[in-house]
């Protein structure tokens, strides 16, 4: 084998594992819709159009330009008038809601 082929092996293995794990961690948009309706819609509006002043308007994609794990941390910790959801929602539930929000715009 050439040196280039040997050097590519770890990269290809890493890429394969990343793709395989990504499918296992895919978010459930339908569960996200349900959780959003129960926990979030009262302030952020049923269709993602904010009800409270200063709350992001998710129907226009506001605040959704950040990576999922950044958004997850914000929801866990709370921000401004939004309470922290750490201990209220599991990370999986929050990621489901984020996936749902991304379908609104």
């Amino acid at each position: 084998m050439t040196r280039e082929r040997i050097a590519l092996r770890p990269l290809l293995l890493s890429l394969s594992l990343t793709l395989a794990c990504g499918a296992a961690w895919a978010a459930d948009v339908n569960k996200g819709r349900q959780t959003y309706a129960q926990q979030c819609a009262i302030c952020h509006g049923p269709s993602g159009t904010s009800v409270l002043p200063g709350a992001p308007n998710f129907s226009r994609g506001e605040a959704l330009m950040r990576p999922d794990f950044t958004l997850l941390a914000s929801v866990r910790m709370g921000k401004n008038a939004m309470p922290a959801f750490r201990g209220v929602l599991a990370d999986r539930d929050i990621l489901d809601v984020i996936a749902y929000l991304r379908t609104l715009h």
Side-chain angles (χ1 to χ4, degrees):
M1 267 193 218
T2 66
R3 238 184 276 180
E4 292 82 18
R5 280 186 144 175
I6 292 171
L8 283 177
R9 279 186 160 187
L11 177 64
L12 292 174
L13 177 61
S14 175
L15 179 60
S16 297
L17 289 173
T18 300
L19 293 174
C21 291
W25 291 98
D28 185 333
V29 174
N30 290 322
K31 283 182 69 179
R33 179 182 299 115
Q34 293 170 352
T35 303
Y36 179 87
Q38 294 168 350
Q39 300 287 334
C40 313
I42 192 159
C43 296
H44 291 283
S47 63
T49 303
S50 58
V51 176
L52 295 177
N57 184 339
F58 296 125
S59 66
R60 292 194 314 240
E62 289 178 15
L64 295 174
M65 298 305 290
R66 296 177 290 169
D68 288 355
F69 287 105
T70 302
L71 296 172
L72 171 68
S74 293
V75 174
R76 276 187 199 147
M77 301 305 292
K79 187 174 181 181
N80 299 328
M82 187 178 87
F85 280 88
R86 172 177 268 147
V88 176
L89 294 175
D91 288 354
R92 175 81 271 148
D93 296 327
I94 296 170
L95 291 170
D96 290 344
V97 169
I98 293 167
Y100 167 67
L101 290 174
R102 294 191 188 285
T103 70
L104 295 179
H105 60 90

